[in-house]
Amino acid sequence: MNDQQIEEKKVAVNEELEKLKPKLVELATTIHQNPETKFEEVKASKWLSDAAVEAGFKLEKPLGRLETAFRASYSGSKKGPNIAFLGEYDALPDVGHACGHNLIGPAALGAALAMAKHMKDVPGSVQVIGTPGEEGGGGKVMLAEAGVFNKVDIALMYHPSNDNVLWRHSLSRRKLFIEFFGKSSHAAGAPDKGINALDATIQTFNNINALRQYITDDARIHGVILEGGSAPNVIPAYSSSLFYIRALDDDYCDELLERVKNCARGAALATGSEVKLEMQGAYKSLKTNIRLAETFQKNAEALGRTFIDIDPFKRIGSTDTGDVSHKVPAIHPYLAIGPENMAGHTTEFAEASKSPEGMAAMMDAAKAMAATALDILLRPSLFEEIKKEFKG
C-alpha cells in the first residue's frame, strides 16, 4: 500500500473504534466498579477475553500457568509481523483502580478488535495479551519466563497518567522478603534468655541506612516491617520485613541486592538470630524502542495529543513491562486522564480513571496503538528499522 492508502486504512480503523466506543467504555466502567487485585482478576479477565472470542479471536486461557492471563489472536491475509497489545486490569488494595488499569485492558482490546475488522488485505496478525498482576505481582515477568512472547514481534501498551509523556526510563527492581528467628523470653524478668528477632530487623534497617551514602543516585531501597512481635514484655522470637531494591542498571541492581542481603546477615550475626532471605520477584529496567515510540507519537499527535518534554530519569518507578522490552521491541507511553498535579495510587486518580477524560485517553490510546500497528504491518522498512534498533 502507498502512504495515502495506509492513512485511509487508519481512518477506517478509527471509525471502527468509534463504533466500539460504547462497549469499551462499558467494560472500563464495569472493571472500575469491580476492582480485583493481583492474580484475582477473574471477572475482568473473563469480560475482556469473552469480548475477543465474540469477535472471532482464537483464545488461549489460562496462559503461562496464570489463571487470569489470556491471549486472544487474529490473523491477517498472509504471514507478517505479530503485533501484541498488552492489557492490564488489576487494581490496588484499598484504593481500587487508582493506577487506571481499568482503561489499559479495554484500550488493548479495542485496538485489536478494530484491526481485526480490516485485516483482509493486511499481512501479519494481532493479539491481545491479558497480563494480570502488574501491581506487585510481576505477571508479565512470569509470562515472559513461560515463553509467551517468544513468537511476538512487537509489544504495544499505554498507561494513564497526569500528562502526555512519550517515554521515560523505569528502574530495575528486586523484591526481598527477610525473616529473623530468635528466642522468646520475658523482657523484664529474663531478657538474657531471649534473642530479639525484632532488633535484628531494626538493625537491618540501620545497616541499609548506613549503606545509602555509598550507592548511586538512581538507586532506591525501601522497606516495611511486616511482623515484629505482639507484646512489649515478650522478646519477639520472629520478625519479618519486605524490601524493594531498585536501580537503572540491571547488573547494579543485582549487586545492590547482595549488599542488602549482607545488611541482614550482619544484623543476624550481631543479634544472634537466624536469618532467612527469600527473593519474591524481579523486574528488569524498561528498554523503550525509540523508533517505535516515534511512530506512536506521530499517530497520537494526529489525534490532538501533545507530548511534554521531561527528564526521562526523574520520578520513575518500575514496571513488569521491562521484562517484555528485553524480549521484543516495546513501548510504554503515558496519556493524561487528569490534571498535572494529580498523583498516581490516590483516590483522585481512581476517580479520573472513570471520568470522561479517562475514557477519552483510552480511546486515543486504542486509536494510536492500532495506527502504529498498521504502520508496522504495512511499512516493511519501518519494521526493519525497529528490529535493527532493538538488536542494537
Side-chain angles (χ1 to χ4, degrees):
M1 290 188 184
N2 58 37
D3 289 348
Q4 182 178 343
Q5 290 171 319
I6 293 173
E7 293 307 311
E8 289 172 355
K9 179 70 74 173
K10 290 179 184 179
V11 171
V13 169
N14 282 354
E15 290 173 351
E16 191 65 40
L17 271 162
E18 283 300 316
K19 294 177 187 176
L20 289 167
K21 182 177 179 178
K23 183 180 187 67
L24 298 177
V25 169
E26 181 184 7
L27 275 169
T29 303
T30 304
I31 293 171
H32 189 283
Q33 293 170 342
N34 296 271
E36 300 165 297
T37 55
K38 61 182 179 184
F39 304 128
E40 296 179 353
E41 316 94 325
V42 176
K43 294 177 182 177
S45 175
K46 185 178 189 308
W47 292 328
L48 292 167
S49 59
D50 281 355
V53 170
E54 289 172 9
F57 281 61
K58 177 184 176 182
L59 181 66
E60 299 172 62
K61 186 182 178 186
L63 184 68
R65 299 185 298 278
L66 294 180
E67 291 296 324
T68 54
F70 68 89
R71 187 203 318 262
S73 308
Y74 194 97
S75 297
S77 59
K78 57 184 178 180
K79 288 185 177 181
N82 191 340
I83 311 294
F85 301 103
L86 308 185
E88 298 172 2
Y89 33 85
D90 59 320
L92 289 154
D94 301 325
V95 287
H97 279 286
C99 208
H101 292 189
N102 63 302
L103 300 171
I104 301 175
L109 175 70
L113 294 188
M115 287 280 291
K117 289 288 187 179
H118 298 275
M119 291 286 286
K120 288 182 180 179
D121 53 349
V122 176
S125 59
V126 295
Q127 58 181 263
V128 184
I129 300 181
T131 62
E134 192 277 336
E135 295 291 354
K140 296 185 194 69
V141 178
M142 300 177 191
L143 293 176
E145 290 173 348
V148 168
F149 298 99
N150 288 357
K151 294 184 179 179
V152 170
D153 292 300
I154 301 286
L156 304 174
M157 72 165 290
Y158 98 105
H159 201 290
S161 183
N162 59 358
D163 219 324
N164 301 313
V165 177
L166 186 61
W167 73 279
R168 54 160 50 104
H169 290 289
S170 77
L171 298 169
S172 177
R173 195 201 79 185
R174 307 293 180 263
K175 184 178 180 181
L176 179 65
F177 179 55
I178 304 175
E179 295 176 290
F180 287 102
F181 302 87
K183 183 180 179 182
S184 63
S185 183
H186 196 292
D192 56 306
K193 303 296 183 182
I195 298 174
N196 196 316
L198 177 59
D199 278 349
T201 292
I202 293 171
Q203 188 59 48
T204 299
F205 275 83
N206 290 336
N207 290 346
I208 290 170
N209 285 337
L211 173 65
R212 295 185 193 280
Q213 183 179 352
Y214 308 102
I215 64 178
T216 58
D217 291 344
D218 60 281
R220 301 286 185 270
I221 307 171
H222 38 105
V224 292
I225 297 175
L226 302 178
E227 293 187 52
S230 56
N233 64 339
V234 178
I235 290 175
Y238 175 81
S239 69
S240 64
S241 57
L242 185 65
F243 282 87
Y244 283 0
I245 299 99
R246 309 186 199 237
L248 276 170
D249 182 77
D250 291 291
D251 291 337
Y252 181 69
C253 195
D254 286 330
E255 177 187 327
L256 198 55
L257 169 66
E258 191 58 32
R259 295 172 75 179
V260 170
K261 287 180 178 179
N262 284 338
C263 288
R265 292 174 182 132
L269 184 63
T271 58
S273 59
E274 298 292 327
V275 64
K276 181 180 178 182
L277 305 169
E278 180 187 345
M279 271 288 294
Q280 293 190 341
Y283 290 0
K284 287 184 170 65
S285 57
L286 184 66
K287 182 182 175 183
T288 296
N289 188 283
I290 300 302
R291 187 69 185 91
L292 183 55
E294 290 171 346
T295 306
F296 178 89
Q297 178 182 13
K298 178 190 68 176
N299 289 306
E301 287 177 343
L303 301 169
R305 290 275 165 178
T306 301
F307 291 89
I308 63 168
D309 291 325
I310 63 162
D311 183 340
F313 292 95
K314 283 191 174 181
R315 296 195 177 278
I316 54 178
S318 306
T319 172
D320 59 2
T321 307
D323 286 65
V324 179
S325 73
H326 286 257
K327 290 277 187 181
V328 299
I331 55 171
H332 189 280
Y334 300 84
L335 295 187
I337 66 170
E340 186 179 348
N341 62 356
M342 178 182 66
H345 292 202
T346 61
T347 53
E348 291 80 10
F349 204 99
E351 286 297 310
S353 296
K354 65 177 181 179
S355 69
E357 293 82 0
M359 300 304 164
M362 174 187 71
M363 294 304 300
D364 282 351
K367 291 174 181 178
M369 288 192 296
T372 300
L374 283 171
D375 280 327
I376 295 163
L377 296 177
L378 297 173
R379 302 182 195 273
S381 60
L382 172 62
F383 181 49
E384 291 303 317
E385 290 173 20
I386 291 169
K387 287 198 301 181
K388 182 179 180 180
E389 179 187 330
F390 178 74
K391 292 176 181 177

